[in-house]
Amino acid sequence: MSWVILIISGVLEAVWATALGKSEGFSKPIPTVTFVVGLLLSMAGLAFAMRDLPTGTAYAVWVGIGASLTVTYAMITGAEPFSVLKLIFILGIVACVIGLKLLH
C-alpha cells in the first residue's frame, strides 16, 4: 500500500508544481488553491509512505515521478519545447524509479 500512496503522491507533486507555475506568484486563486491542496496531499502521502519505505528511496521515487510528469505535461501542452533528448532523459528517470522499486 505504501508504494501505491507514494506513486499517487508523486503524481500530486506534478500537480502542485504545475499549479505553482500557473499561479503567477499566488495572484491567481484557482491555481493557488490547487497548489496548496496538491502540496498538502502530496506531502502527507510521502510522509505516510516513508513509514514503511526507506527515506532515500521514497524521496527519490517521489521526486522522479513528479519531475517526469511535470516536464512531460509541459511538453505536451506546449509550455516547454519537446526534444528527443528530453524524452530520453525523462525515460532514464522513469527507468531509475522502476529500478528502485524492483530493488526494494
Side-chain angles (χ1 to χ4, degrees):
M1 186 59 142
S2 293
W3 279 99
V4 172
I5 298 294
L6 183 61
I7 291 167
I8 293 168
S9 296
V11 171
L12 287 169
E13 184 196 2
V15 169
W16 69 253
T18 301
L20 178 61
K22 292 181 183 267
S23 75
E24 295 182 11
F26 303 122
S27 65
K28 291 189 170 185
I30 292 176
T32 299
V33 170
T34 302
F35 163 74
V36 171
V37 172
L39 178 66
L40 291 173
L41 292 173
S42 181
M43 289 292 173
L46 176 62
F48 179 84
M50 288 171 69
R51 291 174 21 186
D52 295 325
L53 301 172
T55 299
T57 298
Y59 183 69
V61 168
W62 180 76
V63 168
I65 291 169
S68 298
L69 289 176
T70 302
V71 173
T72 300
Y73 177 80
M75 287 191 303
I76 289 170
T77 61
E80 191 168 312
F82 171 83
S83 78
V84 174
L85 279 178
K86 277 186 189 177
L87 179 62
I88 290 169
F89 292 136
I90 290 168
L91 291 174
I93 293 170
V94 171
C96 290
V97 167
I98 292 169
L100 287 171
K101 167 62 175 129
L102 293 175
L103 287 175
H104 188 267

PDB file of all heavy atoms in Angstrom, residues 2 7 10 20-21 23 25 29 32 39 42 44 48-49 57 59 61 63 65 78 87 90 93-94 96 98 101 103:
ATOM      1  N   SER A   2       2.013   1.199   0.662  1.00  0.00           N
ATOM      2  CA  SER A   2       2.897   2.370   0.712  1.00  0.00           C
ATOM      3  C   SER A   2       3.360   2.783  -0.677  1.00  0.00           C
ATOM      4  O   SER A   2       3.477   3.973  -0.963  1.00  0.00           O
ATOM      5  CB  SER A   2       4.104   2.082   1.605  1.00  0.00           C
ATOM      6  OG  SER A   2       3.682   1.933   2.929  1.00  0.00           O
ATOM      7  N   ILE A   7       3.231   6.577  -5.214  1.00  0.00           N
ATOM      8  CA  ILE A   7       3.031   6.898  -6.635  1.00  0.00           C
ATOM      9  C   ILE A   7       1.988   8.007  -6.785  1.00  0.00           C
ATOM     10  O   ILE A   7       2.184   8.966  -7.538  1.00  0.00           O
ATOM     11  CB  ILE A   7       2.643   5.633  -7.431  1.00  0.00           C
ATOM     12  CG1 ILE A   7       3.846   4.692  -7.506  1.00  0.00           C
ATOM     13  CG2 ILE A   7       2.126   5.994  -8.825  1.00  0.00           C
ATOM     14  CD1 ILE A   7       3.533   3.293  -7.987  1.00  0.00           C
ATOM     15  N   GLY A  10       3.545  11.203  -5.856  1.00  0.00           N
ATOM     16  CA  GLY A  10       4.413  11.694  -6.922  1.00  0.00           C
ATOM     17  C   GLY A  10       3.621  12.388  -8.018  1.00  0.00           C
ATOM     18  O   GLY A  10       4.037  13.423  -8.548  1.00  0.00           O
ATOM     19  N   LEU A  20       1.785  25.749  -9.244  1.00  0.00           N
ATOM     20  CA  LEU A  20       2.634  26.833  -8.744  1.00  0.00           C
ATOM     21  C   LEU A  20       3.068  27.740  -9.893  1.00  0.00           C
ATOM     22  O   LEU A  20       3.025  28.965  -9.787  1.00  0.00           O
ATOM     23  CB  LEU A  20       3.853  26.263  -8.016  1.00  0.00           C
ATOM     24  CG  LEU A  20       4.864  27.274  -7.474  1.00  0.00           C
ATOM     25  CD1 LEU A  20       4.203  28.199  -6.457  1.00  0.00           C
ATOM     26  CD2 LEU A  20       6.041  26.539  -6.843  1.00  0.00           C
ATOM     27  N   GLY A  21       3.464  27.148 -10.991  1.00  0.00           N
ATOM     28  CA  GLY A  21       3.864  27.941 -12.154  1.00  0.00           C
ATOM     29  C   GLY A  21       2.719  28.754 -12.733  1.00  0.00           C
ATOM     30  O   GLY A  21       2.899  29.883 -13.185  1.00  0.00           O
ATOM     31  N   SER A  23       0.168  29.856 -11.032  1.00  0.00           N
ATOM     32  CA  SER A  23      -0.410  30.774 -10.042  1.00  0.00           C
ATOM     33  C   SER A  23       0.094  32.207 -10.194  1.00  0.00           C
ATOM     34  O   SER A  23      -0.478  33.124  -9.613  1.00  0.00           O
ATOM     35  CB  SER A  23      -0.112  30.290  -8.619  1.00  0.00           C
ATOM     36  OG  SER A  23       1.242  30.546  -8.277  1.00  0.00           O
ATOM     37  N   GLY A  25       2.829  33.806  -9.045  1.00  0.00           N
ATOM     38  CA  GLY A  25       3.182  34.419  -7.766  1.00  0.00           C
ATOM     39  C   GLY A  25       2.012  34.465  -6.794  1.00  0.00           C
ATOM     40  O   GLY A  25       1.888  35.397  -6.016  1.00  0.00           O
ATOM     41  N   PRO A  29      -6.276  32.792  -8.028  1.00  0.00           N
ATOM     42  CA  PRO A  29      -6.827  31.984  -6.934  1.00  0.00           C
ATOM     43  C   PRO A  29      -6.926  30.483  -7.213  1.00  0.00           C
ATOM     44  O   PRO A  29      -6.550  29.677  -6.362  1.00  0.00           O
ATOM     45  CB  PRO A  29      -8.215  32.567  -6.699  1.00  0.00           C
ATOM     46  CG  PRO A  29      -8.329  33.790  -7.508  1.00  0.00           C
ATOM     47  CD  PRO A  29      -7.183  33.840  -8.462  1.00  0.00           C
ATOM     48  N   THR A  32      -3.589  28.764  -7.233  1.00  0.00           N
ATOM     49  CA  THR A  32      -3.025  28.874  -5.883  1.00  0.00           C
ATOM     50  C   THR A  32      -3.655  27.844  -4.952  1.00  0.00           C
ATOM     51  O   THR A  32      -2.955  27.156  -4.204  1.00  0.00           O
ATOM     52  CB  THR A  32      -3.203  30.297  -5.321  1.00  0.00           C
ATOM     53  OG1 THR A  32      -2.509  31.215  -6.177  1.00  0.00           O
ATOM     54  CG2 THR A  32      -2.670  30.410  -3.905  1.00  0.00           C
ATOM     55  N   LEU A  39      -0.035  20.260  -2.694  1.00  0.00           N
ATOM     56  CA  LEU A  39       1.165  20.187  -1.860  1.00  0.00           C
ATOM     57  C   LEU A  39       0.883  19.447  -0.555  1.00  0.00           C
ATOM     58  O   LEU A  39       1.643  18.551  -0.164  1.00  0.00           O
ATOM     59  CB  LEU A  39       1.683  21.590  -1.564  1.00  0.00           C
ATOM     60  CG  LEU A  39       2.922  21.684  -0.666  1.00  0.00           C
ATOM     61  CD1 LEU A  39       4.129  21.075  -1.361  1.00  0.00           C
ATOM     62  CD2 LEU A  39       3.193  23.128  -0.296  1.00  0.00           C
ATOM     63  N   SER A  42       0.232  15.737  -1.298  1.00  0.00           N
ATOM     64  CA  SER A  42       1.464  15.101  -1.755  1.00  0.00           C
ATOM     65  C   SER A  42       2.426  14.851  -0.595  1.00  0.00           C
ATOM     66  O   SER A  42       2.998  13.763  -0.456  1.00  0.00           O
ATOM     67  CB  SER A  42       2.131  15.973  -2.826  1.00  0.00           C
ATOM     68  OG  SER A  42       3.311  15.374  -3.299  1.00  0.00           O
ATOM     69  N   ALA A  44       1.638  14.704   2.621  1.00  0.00           N
ATOM     70  CA  ALA A  44       1.034  13.743   3.544  1.00  0.00           C
ATOM     71  C   ALA A  44       1.235  12.316   3.030  1.00  0.00           C
ATOM     72  O   ALA A  44       1.570  11.410   3.806  1.00  0.00           O
ATOM     73  CB  ALA A  44      -0.450  14.044   3.726  1.00  0.00           C
ATOM     74  N   PHE A  48       3.372   9.354   4.786  1.00  0.00           N
ATOM     75  CA  PHE A  48       2.766   8.057   5.067  1.00  0.00           C
ATOM     76  C   PHE A  48       3.615   6.925   4.493  1.00  0.00           C
ATOM     77  O   PHE A  48       3.879   5.928   5.172  1.00  0.00           O
ATOM     78  CB  PHE A  48       1.346   7.999   4.490  1.00  0.00           C
ATOM     79  CG  PHE A  48       0.665   6.680   4.708  1.00  0.00           C
ATOM     80  CD1 PHE A  48       0.015   6.409   5.892  1.00  0.00           C
ATOM     81  CD2 PHE A  48       0.692   5.709   3.714  1.00  0.00           C
ATOM     82  CE1 PHE A  48      -0.610   5.183   6.096  1.00  0.00           C
ATOM     83  CE2 PHE A  48       0.077   4.476   3.910  1.00  0.00           C
ATOM     84  CZ  PHE A  48      -0.577   4.220   5.107  1.00  0.00           C
ATOM     85  N   ALA A  49       4.041   7.084   3.243  1.00  0.00           N
ATOM     86  CA  ALA A  49       4.838   6.044   2.587  1.00  0.00           C
ATOM     87  C   ALA A  49       6.174   5.838   3.288  1.00  0.00           C
ATOM     88  O   ALA A  49       6.684   4.708   3.359  1.00  0.00           O
ATOM     89  CB  ALA A  49       5.059   6.399   1.113  1.00  0.00           C
ATOM     90  N   THR A  57      14.912   6.135  -0.742  1.00  0.00           N
ATOM     91  CA  THR A  57      14.170   5.500  -1.832  1.00  0.00           C
ATOM     92  C   THR A  57      12.846   6.211  -2.064  1.00  0.00           C
ATOM     93  O   THR A  57      12.494   6.537  -3.193  1.00  0.00           O
ATOM     94  CB  THR A  57      13.919   4.014  -1.519  1.00  0.00           C
ATOM     95  OG1 THR A  57      15.177   3.345  -1.403  1.00  0.00           O
ATOM     96  CG2 THR A  57      13.092   3.345  -2.606  1.00  0.00           C
ATOM     97  N   TYR A  59      11.906   9.249  -1.256  1.00  0.00           N
ATOM     98  CA  TYR A  59      12.082  10.612  -1.765  1.00  0.00           C
ATOM     99  C   TYR A  59      12.510  10.596  -3.236  1.00  0.00           C
ATOM    100  O   TYR A  59      11.992  11.368  -4.049  1.00  0.00           O
ATOM    101  CB  TYR A  59      13.095  11.374  -0.913  1.00  0.00           C
ATOM    102  CG  TYR A  59      13.255  12.800  -1.342  1.00  0.00           C
ATOM    103  CD1 TYR A  59      12.230  13.729  -1.161  1.00  0.00           C
ATOM    104  CD2 TYR A  59      14.425  13.238  -1.967  1.00  0.00           C
ATOM    105  CE1 TYR A  59      12.361  15.035  -1.575  1.00  0.00           C
ATOM    106  CE2 TYR A  59      14.565  14.545  -2.378  1.00  0.00           C
ATOM    107  CZ  TYR A  59      13.535  15.444  -2.185  1.00  0.00           C
ATOM    108  OH  TYR A  59      13.669  16.734  -2.607  1.00  0.00           O
ATOM    109  N   VAL A  61      11.935   8.310  -5.513  1.00  0.00           N
ATOM    110  CA  VAL A  61      10.800   7.885  -6.341  1.00  0.00           C
ATOM    111  C   VAL A  61       9.788   9.024  -6.465  1.00  0.00           C
ATOM    112  O   VAL A  61       9.304   9.324  -7.552  1.00  0.00           O
ATOM    113  CB  VAL A  61      10.143   6.616  -5.754  1.00  0.00           C
ATOM    114  CG1 VAL A  61       8.801   6.322  -6.416  1.00  0.00           C
ATOM    115  CG2 VAL A  61      11.091   5.422  -5.894  1.00  0.00           C
ATOM    116  N   VAL A  63      10.227  12.317  -6.131  1.00  0.00           N
ATOM    117  CA  VAL A  63      10.771  13.391  -6.978  1.00  0.00           C
ATOM    118  C   VAL A  63      10.827  12.949  -8.438  1.00  0.00           C
ATOM    119  O   VAL A  63      10.489  13.725  -9.338  1.00  0.00           O
ATOM    120  CB  VAL A  63      12.177  13.816  -6.486  1.00  0.00           C
ATOM    121  CG1 VAL A  63      12.858  14.708  -7.506  1.00  0.00           C
ATOM    122  CG2 VAL A  63      12.082  14.519  -5.156  1.00  0.00           C
ATOM    123  N   ILE A  65       8.982  10.744 -10.079  1.00  0.00           N
ATOM    124  CA  ILE A  65       7.644  10.743 -10.675  1.00  0.00           C
ATOM    125  C   ILE A  65       7.178  12.171 -10.924  1.00  0.00           C
ATOM    126  O   ILE A  65       6.707  12.507 -12.014  1.00  0.00           O
ATOM    127  CB  ILE A  65       6.649   9.989  -9.768  1.00  0.00           C
ATOM    128  CG1 ILE A  65       6.966   8.499  -9.752  1.00  0.00           C
ATOM    129  CG2 ILE A  65       5.205  10.217 -10.233  1.00  0.00           C
ATOM    130  CD1 ILE A  65       6.212   7.714  -8.696  1.00  0.00           C
ATOM    131  N   GLY A  78       2.762  22.367 -24.715  1.00  0.00           N
ATOM    132  CA  GLY A  78       3.482  23.383 -25.466  1.00  0.00           C
ATOM    133  C   GLY A  78       4.116  24.457 -24.610  1.00  0.00           C
ATOM    134  O   GLY A  78       4.702  25.402 -25.126  1.00  0.00           O
ATOM    135  N   LEU A  87      13.128  13.638 -23.913  1.00  0.00           N
ATOM    136  CA  LEU A  87      12.378  12.397 -23.793  1.00  0.00           C
ATOM    137  C   LEU A  87      13.275  11.261 -23.306  1.00  0.00           C
ATOM    138  O   LEU A  87      12.891  10.493 -22.415  1.00  0.00           O
ATOM    139  CB  LEU A  87      11.732  12.033 -25.131  1.00  0.00           C
ATOM    140  CG  LEU A  87      10.939  10.731 -25.147  1.00  0.00           C
ATOM    141  CD1 LEU A  87       9.776  10.805 -24.172  1.00  0.00           C
ATOM    142  CD2 LEU A  87      10.455  10.442 -26.557  1.00  0.00           C
ATOM    143  N   ILE A  90      13.985  11.814 -19.604  1.00  0.00           N
ATOM    144  CA  ILE A  90      12.797  11.511 -18.804  1.00  0.00           C
ATOM    145  C   ILE A  90      12.638   9.992 -18.679  1.00  0.00           C
ATOM    146  O   ILE A  90      12.359   9.474 -17.591  1.00  0.00           O
ATOM    147  CB  ILE A  90      11.529  12.149 -19.407  1.00  0.00           C
ATOM    148  CG1 ILE A  90      11.583  13.663 -19.248  1.00  0.00           C
ATOM    149  CG2 ILE A  90      10.266  11.589 -18.752  1.00  0.00           C
ATOM    150  CD1 ILE A  90      10.533  14.397 -20.044  1.00  0.00           C
ATOM    151  N   ILE A  93      14.907   8.724 -16.073  1.00  0.00           N
ATOM    152  CA  ILE A  93      14.393   8.925 -14.710  1.00  0.00           C
ATOM    153  C   ILE A  93      13.361   7.850 -14.382  1.00  0.00           C
ATOM    154  O   ILE A  93      13.388   7.258 -13.301  1.00  0.00           O
ATOM    155  CB  ILE A  93      13.782  10.340 -14.552  1.00  0.00           C
ATOM    156  CG1 ILE A  93      14.868  11.410 -14.650  1.00  0.00           C
ATOM    157  CG2 ILE A  93      13.031  10.456 -13.220  1.00  0.00           C
ATOM    158  CD1 ILE A  93      14.325  12.830 -14.743  1.00  0.00           C
ATOM    159  N   VAL A  94      12.459   7.598 -15.315  1.00  0.00           N
ATOM    160  CA  VAL A  94      11.430   6.577 -15.105  1.00  0.00           C
ATOM    161  C   VAL A  94      12.077   5.211 -14.891  1.00  0.00           C
ATOM    162  O   VAL A  94      11.679   4.455 -13.999  1.00  0.00           O
ATOM    163  CB  VAL A  94      10.431   6.551 -16.281  1.00  0.00           C
ATOM    164  CG1 VAL A  94       9.487   5.359 -16.182  1.00  0.00           C
ATOM    165  CG2 VAL A  94       9.650   7.856 -16.342  1.00  0.00           C
ATOM    166  N   CYS A  96      14.996   4.618 -13.645  1.00  0.00           N
ATOM    167  CA  CYS A  96      15.603   4.626 -12.304  1.00  0.00           C
ATOM    168  C   CYS A  96      14.556   4.417 -11.222  1.00  0.00           C
ATOM    169  O   CYS A  96      14.795   3.692 -10.245  1.00  0.00           O
ATOM    170  CB  CYS A  96      16.361   5.929 -12.071  1.00  0.00           C
ATOM    171  SG  CYS A  96      17.859   6.076 -13.067  1.00  0.00           S
ATOM    172  N   ILE A  98      11.710   2.792 -11.570  1.00  0.00           N
ATOM    173  CA  ILE A  98      11.351   1.377 -11.645  1.00  0.00           C
ATOM    174  C   ILE A  98      12.425   0.510 -11.015  1.00  0.00           C
ATOM    175  O   ILE A  98      12.139  -0.435 -10.268  1.00  0.00           O
ATOM    176  CB  ILE A  98      11.079   0.968 -13.123  1.00  0.00           C
ATOM    177  CG1 ILE A  98       9.815   1.664 -13.614  1.00  0.00           C
ATOM    178  CG2 ILE A  98      10.962  -0.548 -13.244  1.00  0.00           C
ATOM    179  CD1 ILE A  98       9.589   1.559 -15.114  1.00  0.00           C
ATOM    180  N   LYS A 101      12.160   0.532  -7.293  1.00  0.00           N
ATOM    181  CA  LYS A 101      11.033  -0.313  -6.852  1.00  0.00           C
ATOM    182  C   LYS A 101      11.433  -1.775  -6.895  1.00  0.00           C
ATOM    183  O   LYS A 101      11.158  -2.545  -5.968  1.00  0.00           O
ATOM    184  CB  LYS A 101       9.807  -0.045  -7.723  1.00  0.00           C
ATOM    185  CG  LYS A 101       8.684  -1.047  -7.591  1.00  0.00           C
ATOM    186  CD  LYS A 101       8.108  -1.104  -6.189  1.00  0.00           C
ATOM    187  CE  LYS A 101       6.913  -2.029  -6.142  1.00  0.00           C
ATOM    188  NZ  LYS A 101       6.983  -3.018  -5.102  1.00  0.00           N
ATOM    189  N   LEU A 103      14.360  -3.077  -6.646  1.00  0.00           N
ATOM    190  CA  LEU A 103      15.369  -3.393  -5.626  1.00  0.00           C
ATOM    191  C   LEU A 103      14.801  -3.470  -4.217  1.00  0.00           C
ATOM    192  O   LEU A 103      15.385  -4.092  -3.338  1.00  0.00           O
ATOM    193  CB  LEU A 103      16.497  -2.355  -5.645  1.00  0.00           C
ATOM    194  CG  LEU A 103      17.453  -2.442  -6.819  1.00  0.00           C
ATOM    195  CD1 LEU A 103      18.441  -1.288  -6.781  1.00  0.00           C
ATOM    196  CD2 LEU A 103      18.185  -3.770  -6.809  1.00  0.00           C
TER     197      LEU A 103
END
